[in-house]
């Protein structure tokens, strides 16, 4: 286990959401531990190793050293490594998926005309309000989303843990877009516990109440907060799909880090839901 001081230092140096220890522990219930210069999360006989070394997230050699150390753990039956490359220790039968983290500099580049128009339109109908907790209408919107879109049970589980995550991490911020009568149109969750990198964690929009551009307006609120706190970038999460990549590139986001997820069994063991956490990292849940 990582002590509270070490946990805070890991999160303070986070470059990817999976290094925000309070987030992972809240949504997955895993136990964090340091493995070489990387943080890992244990659950039963499974280990997820976040193979982005804290001193340099691109350091593949340091990632490999952490994998070597992880493979000596007693009782380990399955290992998943996420990092900048496929670890050399992975067998040919390992399951591998690849994506990219996208990021914006802070402050971001000036928005193009179409984005400016979207932001103006949204700001005419909703106003941004900051908070630290989800209220009843936030939770109702989160609860509706997976039902209306028939999302898998593991993703629904992660959404249900958002209030727990907000309570566990003092670096979170909820930016809500509310209409003049107070009704909630959209909201986004940001994470600011890392010293250099802010994170766009979740975003939800009610199509019946939020005008086009509401997700963009919520993101603009998080970016303003990041600038005021002195962050130098905002990690927008993974590419995931063409629609999500379009949303991020519309803002001028560029590829920040490769994301290679490699899993293999040391002994036969069913997969957990940790991959769903990684797919959701920084993923906006509505871009219209």
């Amino acid at each position: 286990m990582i002590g509270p001081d070490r946990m805070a230092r890991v999160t303070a140096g986070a470059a990817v959401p999976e290094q925000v220890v309070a987030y992972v522990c809240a949504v997955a219930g895993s136990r964090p531990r340091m493995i070489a210069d990387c943080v890992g999360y244990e659950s039963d006989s499974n280990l997820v190793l976040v193979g982005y070394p804290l001193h340099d997230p691109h350091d593949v050699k340091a990632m490999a050293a952490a994998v070597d150390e992880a493979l000596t753990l007693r009782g380990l039956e399955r290992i998943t490594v996420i990092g900048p490359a496929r670890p050399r220790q992975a067998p040919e039968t390992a399951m591998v998926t690849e994506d990219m983290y996208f990021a914006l500099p802070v402050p971001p580049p000036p928005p193009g005309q179409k984005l400016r128009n979207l932001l103006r339109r949204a700001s005419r109908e909703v106003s941004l309000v900051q908070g630290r907790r989800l209220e009843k209408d936030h939770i109702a919107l989160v609860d509706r989303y997976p039902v209306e879109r028939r999302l898998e049970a593991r993703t629904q589980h992660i959404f249900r843990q958002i209030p727990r995550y907000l309570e566990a991490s003092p670096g979170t911020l909820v930016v809500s877009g509310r209409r003049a009568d107070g009704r909630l149109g959209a909201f986004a969750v940001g994470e600011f516990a890392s010293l250099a990198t802010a994170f766009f964690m979740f975003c939800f929009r009610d199509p019946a109440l939020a005008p086009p551009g509401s997700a963009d307006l919520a993101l603009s609120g998080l970016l303003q907060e990041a600038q005021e706190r002195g962050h130098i970038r905002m990690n927008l999460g993974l590419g995931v799909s063409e629609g999500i990549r379009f949303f991020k590139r519309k803002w001028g986001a560029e590829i920040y880090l490769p994301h290679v997820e490699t899993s293999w069994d040391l002994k036969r063991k069913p997969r957990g839901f940790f991959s769903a956490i990684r797919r959701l990292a920084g993923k906006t849940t509505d871009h219209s």
Side-chain angles (χ1 to χ4, degrees), residues 171-191:
T172 53
L173 180 70
V174 180
V175 173
S176 304
R178 293 191 177 275
R179 303 186 69 89
D181 60 6
R183 288 182 296 171
L184 179 67
F187 77 93
V189 176
E191 174 64 69

Side-chain angles (χ1 to χ4, degrees), residues 254-276:
E254 296 182 351
I255 292 173
Y256 172 44
L257 282 170
H259 176 281
V260 182
E261 175 186 337
T262 310
S263 300
W264 68 97
D265 288 331
L266 306 175
K267 296 179 180 178
R268 184 59 56 186
K269 187 76 174 178
R271 296 190 72 187
F273 61 80
F274 203 97
S275 59

Side-chain angles (χ1 to χ4, degrees), residues 27 67 114 161 177 186 246:
V27 301
V67 175
K114 289 184 178 180
Q161 305 310 309
F246 175 81

Side-chain angles (χ1 to χ4, degrees), residues 83-135:
R86 174 187 173 126
R88 56 173 172 73
Q89 299 92 335
E92 292 183 2
T93 55
M95 298 180 61
V96 181
T97 59
E98 298 186 16
D99 204 331
M100 293 286 182
Y101 289 103
F102 286 77
L104 277 171
V106 176
Q113 185 63 49
K114 289 184 178 180
L115 180 55
R116 290 200 301 272
N117 290 341
L118 278 172
L119 292 170
R120 277 198 297 266
R121 177 175 178 180
S123 63
R124 286 197 296 265
E125 298 186 40
V126 296
S127 299
L128 295 183
V129 180
Q130 292 188 357
R132 281 276 296 114
R133 298 288 183 265
L134 298 191
E135 300 176 17

Side-chain angles (χ1 to χ4, degrees), residues 55-209:
H55 67 273
D56 179 1
H58 298 90
D59 191 338
V60 175
K61 290 184 178 180
M63 178 192 74
V67 175
D68 281 336
E69 183 174 322
L71 292 174
T72 67
L73 297 176
R74 298 179 64 180
L76 185 63
E77 296 185 358
R78 183 174 182 85
I79 184 170
T80 298
V81 181
I82 60 170
R86 174 187 173 126
R88 56 173 172 73
Q89 299 92 335
E92 292 183 2
T93 55
M95 298 180 61
V96 181
T97 59
E98 298 186 16
D99 204 331
M100 293 286 182
Y101 289 103
F102 286 77
L104 277 171
V106 176
Q113 185 63 49
K114 289 184 178 180
L115 180 55
R116 290 200 301 272
N117 290 341
L118 278 172
L119 292 170
R120 277 198 297 266
R121 177 175 178 180
S123 63
R124 286 197 296 265
E125 298 186 40
V126 296
S127 299
L128 295 183
V129 180
Q130 292 188 357
R132 281 276 296 114
R133 298 288 183 265
L134 298 191
E135 300 176 17
K136 290 182 179 179
D137 49 2
H138 293 100
I139 294 174
L141 182 55
V142 173
D143 288 344
R144 280 172 42 200
Y145 187 85
V147 174
E148 294 172 351
R149 291 159 178 80
R150 298 180 181 179
L151 299 180
E152 61 181 8
R154 293 176 294 182
T155 300
Q156 295 184 44
H157 173 86
I158 293 169
F159 286 168
R160 287 195 297 269
Q161 305 310 309
I162 293 176
R164 182 182 176 190
Y165 157 51
L166 293 175
E167 184 175 351
S169 176
T172 53
L173 180 70
V174 180
V175 173
S176 304
R178 293 191 177 275
R179 303 186 69 89
D181 60 6
R183 288 182 296 171
L184 179 67
F187 77 93
V189 176
E191 174 64 69
F192 299 93
S194 173
L195 296 178
T197 304
F199 299 95
F200 186 35
M201 301 296 286
F202 300 97
C203 188
F204 297 86
R205 174 181 176 271
D206 186 338
L209 295 175

Side-chain angles (χ1 to χ4, degrees), residues 1 14 46 52 81 162-163 168 182 212 218 223 229 232 238 247 253 262:
M1 289 287 292
N46 295 340
Y52 297 97
V81 181
I162 293 176
L223 285 165
R229 295 191 186 205
I232 64 172
L238 301 177
F247 176 85
T262 310

